[in-house]
Structures are given as structure tokens and as C-alpha cells.
Amino acid sequence: MIELLVPNDDILNQNQFLADEVRYNLIHRICESEGSTCLKTSDKNMIFAQSPGHKAWLWISQQITDNHKLTYIEELLRYLKGTTLYST
């Protein structure tokens, strides 16, 4: 289930995310930015963050299988349906 990600959310301090945090540290700044779209899965295995006018960042736990990753992405796309995303 997709839900809102808030600044200082506990998902940002869990071991699964901390292992990848250096590569994804921009997610912290995006979550603090006004007007950003920041989402997570209720099981804390996926984060989506995008600030207006910029590309989105997507983190999925390395512990998730490829088939389950696809399920997360499909759910995210359903949630974002009708939303304008930045593209090059």
C-alpha cells in the first residue's frame, strides 16, 4: 500500500535504507522541500520522492525480488495516474 512519506520518516532510519543512503541521500532534501511528492510503501520497502520540475528518485530495498519490485512499481503508477511527472 502506498502512503505519504514525511520529513524524518522512520523509513529513512531503517537499516535497509541506511545501507543505500549515500546513493539516495537526496531523498532527505526532497522530503523537506515544499510541494514535493514523497511516498512510501506501508511495508517500508520502497520510497518515491520528487520535487516539482525535477526527476523523481525511487528506492526499492535490495531484499525485494524482481517480481515483487514490479508489483511495487505497478502500484506506484496506479497511485500517480494522472500526475504530471518531469521528463527530459
Side-chain angles (χ1 to χ4, degrees):
M1 172 192 242
I2 301 289
E3 51 189 63
L4 292 178
L5 174 71
V6 296
N8 301 313
D9 199 294
D10 63 332
I11 190 174
L12 300 172
N13 294 313
Q14 70 172 0
N15 288 335
Q16 290 181 89
F17 179 73
L18 291 175
D20 296 322
E21 183 178 23
V22 171
R23 290 183 287 162
Y24 290 89
N25 67 354
L26 189 56
I27 287 176
H28 290 277
R29 301 295 274 153
I30 295 170
C31 290
E32 295 168 354
S33 299
E34 195 170 315
S36 293
T37 301
C38 299
L39 306 167
K40 65 180 181 177
T41 53
S42 56
D43 63 5
K44 301 180 182 176
N45 285 311
M46 185 187 79
I47 297 172
F48 172 88
Q50 181 184 26
S51 54
H54 298 280
K55 293 182 179 181
W57 283 74
L58 180 65
W59 171 81
I60 300 176
S61 171
Q62 293 180 20
Q63 297 176 358
I64 303 304
T65 64
D66 287 342
N67 286 341
H68 206 80
K69 286 178 185 178
L70 183 58
T71 301
Y72 283 129
I73 292 168
E74 289 170 343
E75 183 177 353
L76 178 63
L77 291 174
R78 279 192 300 275
Y79 187 94
L80 293 172
K81 187 175 183 176
T83 303
T84 302
L85 298 176
Y86 176 79
S87 62
T88 56

